[in-house]
Amino acid sequence: MEERFADIIIDISHEKLDRTFQYIIPEALREQIQIGACVSVPFGKGNRLRKGYVVKISGQAEYAPEKLKTIEGMEEKNVKAEERYIALAAWMKEQYGSTMIAALKTVLPVKQKIKSLEKKSCRLLLPAEEAEKLLQDCRGKHQTAKARLLQELIQLEELPMPLVTGKLHISPQTIKSLEKQGALCIVSESAYRNPVKISGQTADARMEAYGRRKQLSDEQREAASGILEDFDAGKRDTCLIHGITGSGKTEVYLEIIEGMIKRGRQAIVLIPEIALTYQTLLRFYVRFKDRVSVINSTLSQGEKYDQWERAKRGEIDVMIGPRSALFTPFPDLGIIIIDEEHENTYKSESMPKYHARETAEKIASMQDAAVVLGSATPSLEAYYRAKTGKYRLYELTKRQSEGGLPRVYTVDLREELKQGNRSIFSRKLRELIEERLKKKEQSILFLNRRGYAGFVSCRACGYVMKCPHCDVSLSEHMGGKLVCHYCGYEQPGVKKCPECGSKYILGFRAGTQQIEEAVHKEFPQARVLRMDADSTRTKDSYEEILNAFANGEADILLGTQMIVKGHDFPCVTLVGILAADLSLHMNDYRAGERTFQLLTQAAGRAGRGKRTGEVVIQTYDPEHYSIIHAANQDYKKFYEEEMMYREMLLYPPAAHLLAVLVSSVKEEEGMRLAEKIGGLLKEHRGLCVIGPAAASIGKIQDVYRFMVYVKHKDYGKLIEAKNRIEAFMEKREMEGRAGKETVQFDFDPISAY
Ligand code: ADP
Ligand code: ZN
Ligand code: ZN
């Protein structure tokens, strides 16, 4: 019988994820050992038995088999959860292309050895008399270390750990022993605190408003009970809730989660980080109190780990967070809800480049849980699956607010120019803003871009200022300095064209700062808040601006993408969309979809209170289907038209697309490798291979980038293609022919390279 070998990672509890070791699988264990299995293996010089996890099984030994050690046995105790996440990592590695190490680091929050921020201390638990007795006892037994520590604790009650182990010279064993005796406990300041902080007056007022339980509408009830009934019937199909903006999706989520908790199950709720505001958290907190917790990117690894531990121990029922909250190790997970399912941030940008949607489905299938997706503008992927019967579809077609859907005006900017209007505000928009200012209602102005978006170019010769390290144009910021948004390179502005010497070298001025100036000029009485990547460097400033606007401290909120994400401002009755079509011109097959989503979501901010809202869409391209259907808030028509285009060109979801990115410091070597990979793929019949070619951003931080794209209807075929490339790269490495080039995979990419 053929021999079997296992690659094993030793001890996942520390940051020792950097390498695996190969062992022989003894015949007796061949049946039982799977990926993820926890085994004991002899390790190191003394061959001490250590715990390890199987991450790969193969029929080939990397070294001479006689040099390999053999797995000793299986560990049985208490390892189920870890096994599951290791199996998940193996799936991610296969599905998305990455190293096992990177996949493991994604799914298992690793407790770091150095926990510099954590303050630990020893606290006396015994009443004074008993402590005194114990002290005498220890002295009698000549346990001098114990006695020393007790004596100190009797005086001070609590001692910082560094003092105990340092100045007092107390060993961890001594502390543990006293802890076991119940004499003291170790308290850790940062451990297990709930990061949901609720305080202040506005909080109380809003708590009051949210606390009142809403009578669900028929549509809402149908979705919530439909999903719970399916769950009880053992059906685990993914559900998509397509609900227009303001239709009350969050109420449906709350209802489903409550149902899950009643069934003894837990819930994970994914919300894009940008929409993970105080306002949103409050709605969950009011309903589930301290049974809910949240993680976000500002938490340290250690803090994240603590939240994981709380979930494991059953201290919470609901975990809210961005993508990485998916990996919360609940004991009886019942449901994963993904709100604003269409958001790009659900796709990881680093290896493994996983998508939260599919990964959630995988996790759910491993734990007998269900997945619910929600959006006003579902991704084409999700809606396609609903249409083809893979997902169950629930529709919320009515707004909860009395005002109903907003009235939308589309303004052709070319027409404005013909009429002699050179302002960035169309006449319609100006008129409506003035009206709002008079009526003391709020407006939102949305610009599809960041900073002084403007690249700086010479009007005489056309020269564009570019980053010397990246193949992208520099952006002009306040004060005139030029900044690269890829690597952060900065330089002062230029007065003369470096190419032809002309002094007509200018920024293309259509950024939020410039619009803010224009607003001040045109509406001097208006109070304006600006929100973009520059004004919100910190999470707090972002929340501050939103709160100030919600509290009526400004008449106009001006900003980029980040103001359109699921915020609920009841006093906003006007949304102005400036330059709606900027996002149409990205070189990306999803440009139409993204534009439709942005416009629909932005328009959805208007009229969420009692009064009907109005929306002005300013565009140079009023006939574009993304703009027409967004103006009519007609998702279905948009879907049909967009889907036709995807079918025609075999883009996802009509087919699957694998992007292979080759990076190299040396241009020629990068191109050669990309050509080699392209050739390898073309040998494979039935694959549609595009490239190789330089990426649209051909260089980032002095590293050249080349792309090969592969299309096929069957995802499995793309996995095969990836495996071939991996095998080729491995062989190259083994034969010592590998250079410094790297290869990365991106399945169904969501942004252009
Ligand atoms: P969505 O997430 O679909 O945009 P929300 O859940 O934020 O919608 O709901 C929009 C507004 O309608 C919120 O202010 C919410 O409190 C309110 N709302 C939702 N459902 C109901 C209901 N059944 N009755 C009354 N108000 C509701
Ligand atoms: Zn010039
Ligand atoms: Zn740069």
Side-chain angles (χ1 to χ4, degrees):
M1 196 173 149
E2 101 187 271
E3 281 213 282
R4 304 292 282 166
F5 306 93
D7 288 5
I8 288 171
I9 271 187
I10 309 287
D11 197 358
I12 54 165
S13 61
H14 296 295
E15 276 227 306
K16 277 272 181 62
L17 290 178
D18 41 356
R19 66 163 301 188
T20 59
F21 301 89
Q22 203 172 41
Y23 284 85
I24 296 168
I25 305 177
E27 214 170 324
L29 291 179
R30 254 174 226 174
E31 300 268 291
Q32 298 155 58
I33 285 186
Q34 295 169 339
I35 288 181
C38 184
V39 293
S40 57
V41 290
F43 187 76
K45 282 209 188 91
N47 277 335
R48 228 161 42 99
L49 286 186
R50 297 280 298 269
K51 205 157 92 171
Y53 291 89
V54 178
V55 297
K56 189 177 157 191
I57 296 173
S58 61
Q60 246 186 0
E62 272 163 32
Y63 303 99
E66 60 273 15
K67 284 196 186 153
L68 294 178
K69 297 173 188 172
T70 303
I71 293 175
E72 178 80 20
M74 300 267 288
E75 292 263 345
E76 316 251 307
K77 285 184 305 229
N78 215 7
V79 291
K80 276 281 166 287
E82 273 80 9
E83 283 191 17
R84 205 159 54 207
Y85 286 98
I86 288 164
L88 178 67
W91 176 84
M92 286 170 85
K93 171 191 182 301
E94 178 70 2
Q95 193 79 0
Y96 299 108
S98 103
T99 63
M100 188 64 191
I101 309 290
L104 278 170
K105 284 189 171 169
T106 306
V107 304
L108 293 167
V110 176
K111 183 134 191 154
Q112 274 154 337
K113 266 189 190 160
I114 321 140
K115 283 182 293 171
S116 53
L117 288 175
E118 204 182 37
K119 278 195 212 138
K120 276 193 179 171
S121 53
C122 268
R123 186 186 290 163
L124 187 66
L125 283 180
L126 297 173
E129 260 171 71
E130 283 182 46
E132 204 53 68
K133 248 210 285 196
L134 184 61
L135 174 63
Q136 298 310 333
D137 206 65
C138 292
R139 281 193 176 136
K141 291 186 193 154
H142 299 288
Q143 297 171 328
T144 51
K146 272 193 186 178
R148 204 160 61 235
L149 178 55
L150 276 170
Q151 197 178 357
E152 289 300 315
L153 282 173
I154 289 170
Q155 301 226 333
L156 293 168
E157 247 176 26
E158 193 168 321
L159 289 168
M161 206 50 120
L163 199 72
V164 175
T165 51
K167 281 243 153 57
L168 278 177
H169 291 297
I170 310 288
S171 71
Q173 285 91 328
T174 307
I175 300 170
K176 254 209 198 103
S177 160
L178 279 171
E179 197 183 6
K180 261 205 192 129
Q181 283 176 273
L184 59 78
C185 67
I186 297 161
V187 285
S188 145
E189 225 175 62
S190 69
Y192 313 136
R193 72 186 164 137
N194 195 331
V196 183
K197 288 181 223 125
I198 305 288
S199 63
Q201 267 190 341
T202 46
D204 291 343
R206 282 198 226 153
M207 200 107 129
E208 177 71 30
Y210 289 132
R212 263 174 273 130
R213 191 175 288 249
K214 284 155 187 110
Q215 188 74 34
L216 292 192
S217 70
D218 289 346
E219 286 180 334
Q220 282 175 317
R221 172 134 312 290
E222 202 176 307
S225 28
I227 288 166
L228 287 171
E229 278 161 24
D230 273 1
F231 187 85
D232 289 338
K235 289 186 200 148
R236 293 292 183 271
D237 298 341
T238 297
C239 296
L240 171 64
I241 303 177
H242 173 212
I244 62 167
T245 53
S247 59
K249 290 182 289 296
T250 311
E251 291 303 318
V252 177
Y253 305 152
L254 293 171
E255 195 73 11
I256 298 170
I257 296 167
E258 196 169 88
M260 282 296 158
I261 295 174
K262 277 195 194 128
R263 288 162 175 77
R265 311 289 289 254
Q266 298 89 37
I268 293 171
V269 185
L270 301 192
I271 294 179
E273 179 116 34
I274 202 98
L276 202 58
T277 56
Y278 190 71
Q279 209 186 14
T280 316
L281 288 181
L282 210 53
R283 294 174 73 174
F284 287 87
Y285 186 76
V286 164
R287 194 76 164 256
F288 305 112
K289 305 288 184 309
D290 58 356
R291 301 295 296 174
V292 55
S293 194
V294 56
I295 55 167
N296 59 48
S297 61
T298 63
L299 291 189
S300 68
Q301 277 286 3
E303 286 174 310
K304 228 182 205 176
Y305 183 85
D306 288 343
Q307 293 309 313
W308 261 222
E309 286 295 300
R310 296 183 72 209
K312 233 191 224 170
R313 285 200 306 258
E315 290 175 16
I316 52 172
D317 297 315
V318 187
M319 178 62 90
I320 303 177
R323 203 173 57 223
S324 62
L326 262 184
F327 307 111
T328 310
F330 277 124
D332 289 293
L333 182 68
I335 198 134
I336 303 174
I337 294 171
I338 307 185
D339 189 30
E340 308 285 349
E341 159 282 326
H342 61 277
E343 276 293 319
N344 284 346
T345 49
Y346 287 130
K347 177 91 191 264
S348 169
E349 281 180 35
S350 52
M351 301 287 258
K353 297 188 174 180
Y354 67 97
H355 198 297
R357 200 188 311 117
E358 281 86 44
T359 308
E361 285 170 1
K362 181 66 187 173
I363 292 171
S365 79
M366 291 167 90
Q367 306 193 42
D368 188 36
V371 176
V372 170
L373 311 172
S375 174
T377 51
S379 63
L380 253 76
E381 278 77 3
Y383 204 73
Y384 178 74
R385 285 175 204 168
K387 281 280 195 185
T388 49
K390 261 183 93 182
Y391 289 175
R392 287 181 68 93
L393 181 65
Y394 291 95
E395 311 231 25
L396 306 180
T397 57
K398 294 184 204 71
R399 264 208 172 177
Q400 294 297 332
S401 64
E402 290 156 42
L405 274 178
R407 195 176 305 128
V408 183
Y409 309 94
T410 307
V411 176
D412 185 343
L413 287 176
R414 295 167 303 183
E415 229 11 77
E416 290 292 308
L417 199 65
K418 267 191 209 153
Q419 302 296 323
N421 178 13
R422 301 178 144 267
S423 148
I424 48 171
F425 304 105
S426 61
R427 289 159 300 167
K428 184 76 193 171
L429 182 54
R430 185 180 311 138
E431 175 199 320
L432 293 181
I433 294 174
E434 257 156 22
E435 208 182 288
R436 296 307 121 119
L437 291 172
K438 267 197 210 107
K439 287 200 279 188
K440 305 244 174 293
E441 291 173 12
Q442 289 181 307
S443 309
I444 287 179
L445 296 179
F446 165 54
L447 178 76
N448 220 343
R449 277 194 142 177
R450 164 185 181 187
Y452 263 116
F455 51 90
V456 175
S457 64
C458 173
R459 301 291 143 94
C461 77
Y463 180 84
V464 175
M465 295 297 294
K466 281 195 169 178
C467 172
H469 311 289
C470 312
D471 188 19
V472 293
S473 48
L474 294 167
S475 300
E476 189 179 37
H477 278 232
M478 201 62 157
K481 79 179 172 204
L482 304 179
V483 180
C484 170
H485 283 305
Y486 276 83
C487 74
Y489 168 84
E490 277 187 28
Q491 69 168 67
V494 288
K495 300 242 154 49
K496 271 197 314 191
C497 171
E499 192 73 13
C500 75
S502 158
K503 57 183 182 191
Y504 292 102
I505 183 156
L506 303 166
F508 172 76
R509 308 212 149 192
T512 44
Q513 295 174 351
Q514 203 248 336
I515 288 167
E516 187 180 11
E517 285 161 28
V519 174
H520 282 310
K521 219 188 275 162
E522 302 233 9
F523 314 102
Q525 74 278 34
R527 297 166 301 162
V528 184
L529 281 170
R530 175 169 64 89
M531 184 146 90
D532 57 23
D534 285 335
S535 66
T536 56
R537 285 265 176 264
T538 66
K539 171 100 178 138
D540 284 345
S541 61
Y542 172 70
E543 293 257 345
E544 263 166 40
I545 297 173
L546 287 176
N547 279 332
F549 192 60
N551 293 337
E553 289 166 31
D555 307 301
I556 298 174
L557 175 63
L558 163 68
T560 50
Q561 275 78 308
M562 53 176 76
I563 64 176
V564 309
K565 301 283 146 71
H567 307 303
D568 201 14
F569 302 115
C571 297
V572 171
T573 57
L574 173 65
V575 171
I577 299 170
L578 310 157
D581 28 55
L582 280 181
S583 57
L584 276 180
H585 306 304
M586 297 181 300
N587 78 35
D588 183 347
Y589 73 92
R590 289 181 201 262
E593 180 179 5
R594 198 157 307 155
T595 303
F596 176 82
Q597 285 163 353
L598 278 172
L599 298 190
T600 310
Q601 298 278 354
R605 296 312 112 207
R608 290 169 77 94
K610 290 199 168 65
R611 285 162 294 231
T612 304
E614 290 181 300
V615 178
V616 178
I617 299 179
Q618 302 191 156
T619 173
Y620 289 99
D621 201 354
E623 279 93 43
H624 193 284
Y625 65 94
S626 289
I627 291 180
I628 293 175
H629 299 318
N632 295 329
Q633 307 262 303
D634 192 340
Y635 178 80
K636 281 179 194 150
K637 284 245 174 66
F638 166 76
Y639 170 81
E640 276 160 26
E641 208 150 332
E642 181 71 18
M643 201 56 216
M644 238 155 50
Y645 155 75
R646 306 272 175 105
E647 296 270 9
M648 209 160 65
L649 294 172
L650 273 190
Y651 277 126
H656 292 285
L657 180 65
L658 167 61
V660 186
L661 168 68
V662 177
S663 312
S664 172
V665 179
K666 293 194 183 132
E667 189 171 10
E668 231 170 78
E669 284 172 18
M671 188 62 196
R672 214 176 308 137
L673 178 58
E675 264 162 12
K676 185 85 203 147
I677 286 172
L680 207 74
L681 293 172
K682 278 169 192 161
E683 282 169 20
H684 213 62
R685 271 188 36 211
L687 284 181
C688 169
V689 183
I690 306 161
S696 60
I697 300 164
K699 186 171 77 161
I700 294 182
Q701 287 183 288
D702 294 320
V703 175
Y704 292 89
R705 295 147 48 91
F706 300 92
M707 300 304 305
V708 184
Y709 286 99
V710 198
K711 289 190 222 174
H712 201 281
K713 288 218 171 217
D714 180 0
Y715 195 98
K717 285 275 184 292
L718 296 186
I719 292 184
E720 278 172 28
K722 174 211 70 182
N723 289 346
R724 276 180 155 227
I725 300 171
E726 276 178 346
F728 166 74
M729 294 297 287
E730 241 168 69
K731 187 152 164 272
R732 218 166 149 250
E733 175 106 32
M734 298 251 270
E735 291 168 4
R737 291 184 293 119
K740 289 220 176 80
E741 310 90 56
T742 62
V743 173
Q744 280 193 28
F745 301 100
D746 193 349
F747 284 82
D748 291 342
I750 47 154
S751 47
Y753 280 85

